[in-house]
Amino acid sequence: MKTKLYLAVFCVAFFWGTTFLGIRIGVETIPPFILAGIRNLISGAIIFFYLFSQKKLEKVSPRQFLRAFILSILMIVLANGLTTYAEKYITSGLASLVSTFTPFCVLILNLILGYEKLSVKTVLGILLGMFGIFLIYQSSMNDLLIPEYRQGVFALLLAISAWAIGTILTKKGSQNALTMLMNVCVQMLIAGVVLTAIQFCITPSISIESWSIRSIIAMVYLALFGSVVGYVAFSYLITQLPSTKVVVLSYINLVVALFLGWLILDEIITSRIIVATIFIISGVVVVNYKKQNKI
């Protein structure tokens, strides 16, 4: 049980951190919504054929399909689709920075709905993480003065809101739901079709010849490690841990995204970022420490 849970934590924390870079490379030549659409069609097909080979495909009732459809729209079409769209205009580092507001949004929604009780440990962990984010934002405020960046940030804020709502819905009301993999498979296939249709509505003529090998490789990577590995791991974790503790892993996503930005895109890592990273990781440890001891 410990190994499976820790492996899922690693997959969500690390691989989702790499997706910010993957998306940024993908949208260099591939339109954002079709990038997100094909990514999810590939990942959904992989899971479908796995379930088929294992004879684990399930019949989907109208109610189950409706639930999967709603979650798909919130967590993939809006959250993933808008994040991909945003990175057409902003850097992967800034995208990861804005996305760190997710734990705060989920916590606030859980408190309002009465799903979680406010604890000193949770508040302290969130505050440590948010202080780390504040230190990083101080050196990135000038980017927000650029109109394209503001458009990207606004799209990301909508994505975060949709993800937070979807996360809580995933955690609650799971009675008579499909098994985890079948549910994820249906969500991805729905999102793949919707996102691809959105792109064709925006730009009816799409030139595949203009897509670079670099962007195509990034799209395949996103399908395999961002969607299949990352989203399946997230779906498992959300059944095992409180939603606030799962989404706080986005702080680790930030560290990974910033490091990769430095390594591959030559983005600068300052002493301020190093100090901020210490606060961010400390926040994750504080929020999850007691729960880890019980596993």
Side-chain angles (χ1 to χ4, degrees):
M1 182 65 174
K2 280 185 178 182
T3 302
K4 188 175 181 180
L5 190 62
Y6 292 154
L7 180 61
V9 168
F10 171 79
C11 289
V12 172
F14 177 76
F15 287 117
W16 271 3
T18 67
T19 58
F20 291 100
L21 177 64
I23 291 172
R24 181 65 176 172
I25 294 174
V27 296
E28 287 176 350
T29 60
I30 302 176
F33 291 116
I34 201 167
L35 169 63
I38 295 177
R39 164 189 174 178
N40 281 283
L41 286 174
I42 293 173
S43 54
I46 290 173
I47 297 175
F48 176 86
F49 285 113
Y50 168 77
L51 292 172
F52 179 78
S53 66
Q54 299 296 312
K55 297 182 179 179
K56 292 183 178 179
L57 286 176
E58 305 171 52
K59 290 183 178 179
V60 182
S61 69
R63 184 172 183 176
Q64 290 171 331
F65 180 83
L66 178 61
R67 183 175 188 273
F69 180 83
I70 293 173
L71 291 175
S72 176
I73 296 299
L74 287 170
M75 304 192 71
I76 305 181
V77 174
L78 292 177
N80 180 252
L82 287 175
T83 298
T84 305
Y85 170 80
E87 288 202 47
K88 186 73 176 176
Y89 303 102
I90 66 177
T91 64
S92 61
L94 183 58
S96 65
L97 286 171
V98 178
S99 295
T100 53
F101 281 111
T102 304
F104 181 74
C105 291
V106 173
L107 176 61
I108 294 299
L109 285 174
N110 273 328
L111 291 174
I112 292 174
L113 297 172
Y115 291 154
E116 286 193 32
K117 294 181 179 179
L118 194 62
S119 69
V120 174
K121 181 171 66 68
T122 299
V123 172
L124 178 60
I126 294 291
L127 289 178
L128 284 172
M130 292 301 291
F131 183 70
I133 301 307
F134 170 75
L135 291 178
I136 298 176
Y137 267 115
Q138 276 190 318
S139 61
S140 304
M141 291 303 292
N142 288 337
D143 292 336
L144 298 176
L145 299 177
I146 304 173
E148 290 79 8
Y149 272 45
R150 289 201 300 271
Q151 183 178 347
V153 169
F154 179 71
L156 273 175
L157 291 176
L158 290 179
I160 290 168
S161 300
W163 182 265
I165 295 171
T167 297
I168 294 173
L169 289 179
T170 300
K171 183 69 178 177
K172 303 298 177 181
S174 58
Q175 292 182 346
N176 301 318
L178 296 166
T179 57
M180 182 190 70
L181 279 181
M182 188 65 192
N183 187 47
V184 169
C185 176
V186 174
Q187 287 184 40
M188 288 178 174
L189 293 176
I190 291 172
V193 173
V194 173
L195 285 164
T196 303
I198 289 174
Q199 188 65 66
F200 276 106
C201 288
I202 297 173
T203 52
S205 61
I206 296 175
S207 176
I208 299 179
E209 292 78 11
S210 64
W211 298 1
S212 69
I213 297 298
R214 170 184 165 100
S215 292
I216 293 173
I217 291 174
M219 180 171 63
V220 174
Y221 175 85
L222 290 169
L224 295 177
F225 294 96
S227 295
V228 175
V229 176
Y231 196 57
V232 169
F234 170 83
S235 298
Y236 169 73
L237 282 180
I238 205 69
T239 66
Q240 303 297 314
L241 299 173
S243 55
T244 304
K245 290 180 171 59
V246 177
V247 296
V248 82
L249 291 172
S250 64
Y251 290 155
I252 300 296
N253 295 161
L254 167 63
V255 177
V256 173
L258 289 175
F259 173 75
L260 290 176
W262 165 78
L263 181 66
I264 298 175
L265 301 179
D266 296 324
E267 295 176 354
I268 298 174
I269 293 184
T270 64
S271 58
R272 179 187 294 272
I273 290 178
I274 295 175
V275 173
T277 299
I278 294 173
F279 277 101
I280 289 168
I281 295 177
S282 298
V284 175
V285 172
V286 168
V287 169
N288 290 280
Y289 181 74
K290 184 177 181 181
K291 187 68 177 181
Q292 290 174 347
N293 281 348
K294 287 184 176 182
I295 296 172

